[in-house]
Amino acid sequence: MQDMLRELRVVLASVAPEVRYGEFTENTSLRDDIGLDSLQMMLFAVGVEDNFDIRFKGEPVIRTIGDIAEYIINYRKGVVISR
């Protein structure tokens, strides 16, 4: 999981370099802790898709870094749950 968190941090830094954030854990909120706006969220999602070779399907509930990590893990297992 720590490797995935490091990769997600790199993706975030590449799409939103101006964003300042402290601790980066599974509980880090994309909006409240990091402060991503809608455009940055979209760019981050595209960066995650490209970096991890996945595609977000439906409307997944993604609020935290942990939500993204869980989605990636489940996607790789072939289990994708969206609302």
Side-chain angles (χ1 to χ4, degrees), residues 4 54 66-82:
M4 186 177 296
I54 66 166
D67 292 339
I68 294 174
E70 183 178 342
Y71 189 93
I72 293 166
I73 290 165
N74 288 332
Y75 186 95
R76 290 176 174 171
K77 290 179 181 176
V79 179
V80 176
I81 301 171
S82 61

Side-chain angles (χ1 to χ4, degrees), residues 44-56:
F44 185 46
V46 170
V48 168
E49 286 181 333
D50 290 346
N51 190 73
F52 290 94
D53 195 28
I54 66 166
R55 295 294 167 253
F56 289 107

